[in-house]
């Protein structure tokens, strides 16, 4: 399978714990996006990378959130001191540039209890 | 700003047609349409670029009116497999290729 891969698919954590998600993009895609989706809503943009450079961060991304893409390949999204409001589906999408389709991964569903 | 989709929900019988609209208040560079089934990732349907083109494949097509900053998705002779939530994602001229998604239109096709 050469699609976008996310790991884990599901994560249950206690409030206050840190969690890290991983996204492996389609190999030739230089752009990588993170979105968050809550029930009944469309995906909300969090941040995006072009190669290893983080070019934009949403105001939704509080200081507890950090994302990296160290070698321009896989990316990680870390949430520190999780809160119940962080419960959502975290989606990774990759693409080759502006006005190009984005390929979504299957997402990581986070539940904070 | 988030694009506005209408209707919020639609129920069809197999074989009927539907139109889903997406409207933005800002100048758009492109409009992307996705379908998402419950618990799954969004699946790409098509992309429309600035220029007012219309696209389609099989019985699903879409148009983009750049003057009105509106796009419409047309589903004809609907099939059961068309059920799901449809999202439009808009790319603004200054948004750096990230997409802003609408709240979605829930489509249910019944036998």
């Amino acid at each position: 399978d050469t699609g976008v891969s996310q790991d884990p698919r599901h994560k249950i954590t206690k409030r206050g714990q840190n969690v890290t998600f991983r996204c492996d993009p389609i190999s030739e895609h230089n752009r990588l996006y993170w979105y968050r989706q809550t029930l009944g809503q469309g995906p909300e943009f969090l941040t995006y990378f072009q190669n290893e450079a983080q070019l934009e961060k949403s105001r939704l991304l509080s200081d507890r959130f950090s994302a990296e893409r160290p070698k321009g390949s896989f990316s990680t999204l870390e949430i520190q001191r999780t809160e119940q409001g962080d419960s959502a589906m975290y989606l990774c999408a990759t693409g080759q540039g502006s006005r190009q389709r984005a390929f979504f991964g299957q997402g990581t569903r986070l539940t904070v209890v | 700003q988030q694009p506005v989709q209408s209707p919020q929900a639609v129920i069809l019988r197999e074989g009927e047609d539907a139109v889903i609209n997406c409207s933005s208040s800002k100048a758009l560079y492109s409009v992307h349409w996705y379908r998402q089934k419950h618990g799954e990732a969004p699946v790409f349907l098509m992309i429309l670029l600035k220029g007012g083109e219309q696209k389609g494949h099989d019985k699903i097509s879409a148009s983009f009116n750049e003057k009105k900053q509106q796009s419409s998705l047309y589903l004809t002779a609907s099939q059961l497999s068309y059920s799901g939530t449809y999202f439009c994602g808009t790319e603004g001229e200054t948004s750096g290729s990230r997409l802003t998604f609408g709240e979605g239109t829930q489509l249910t096709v019944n036998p």
Side-chain angles (χ1 to χ4, degrees), chain B residues 55-69:
Chain B
K55 274 196 170 180
H57 60 82
D58 198 11
K59 296 181 177 117
I60 300 177
S61 62
S63 63
F64 177 26
N65 185 324
E66 132 187 27
K67 288 182 182 177
K68 293 185 178 180
Q69 307 305 327

Side-chain angles (χ1 to χ4, degrees), chain A residues 31 33 37 48 56 98 102 105, chain B residues 34 36 41 91 96-99:
Chain A
R31 296 196 180 197
Y33 309 84
Q37 187 176 27
Y48 100 90
E56 188 176 353
S98 183
Chain B
Y34 287 83
Q36 186 177 32
E91 181 185 2
S97 85
R98 61 168 165 84
L99 296 178

Side-chain angles (χ1 to χ4, degrees), chain B residues 46-49 51-56 61-64 72 74:
Chain B
M46 64 189 72
I47 178 174
L48 297 111
L49 307 179
E53 64 181 279
Q54 183 155 352
K55 274 196 170 180
S61 62
S63 63
F64 177 26
S72 295
Y74 307 94

Side-chain angles (χ1 to χ4, degrees), chain A residues 49-79:
Chain A
F49 293 84
Q50 181 161 324
N51 300 312
E52 66 276 9
Q54 187 173 20
L55 296 186
E56 188 176 353
K57 290 171 63 173
S58 164
R59 286 169 292 179
L60 293 174
L61 215 63
S62 76
D63 291 344
R64 297 183 297 105
F65 288 70
S66 62
E68 292 183 342
R69 193 182 184 198
K71 296 182 181 178
S73 56
F74 74 92
S75 176
T76 57
L77 178 68
E78 181 182 17
I79 308 174

Side-chain angles (χ1 to χ4, degrees), chain A residues 9 31 33 35 37 39-45 48 56 89 91 97-107 109, chain B residues 2 29-30 32 34 36 38-42 44 47 49-50 87 91 94-104:
Chain A
R9 293 288 308 277
R31 296 196 180 197
Y33 309 84
Y35 290 86
Q37 187 176 27
L39 199 62
Q41 299 295 315
E44 293 177 295
F45 170 78
Y48 100 90
E56 188 176 353
M89 173 78 85
L91 292 163
S98 183
R99 309 215 300 175
Q100 302 289 321
R101 62 169 288 190
F103 293 74
F104 278 87
Q106 291 296 309
R109 181 166 295 284
Chain B
Q2 186 179 35
Y29 208 39
S30 64
H32 304 226
Y34 287 83
Q36 186 177 32
H38 184 68
E40 298 180 8
F44 174 81
I47 178 174
L49 307 179
K50 184 177 173 180
F87 293 101
E91 181 185 2
T94 58
S95 65
S97 85
R98 61 168 165 84
L99 296 178
T100 304
F101 287 90
E103 291 193 344

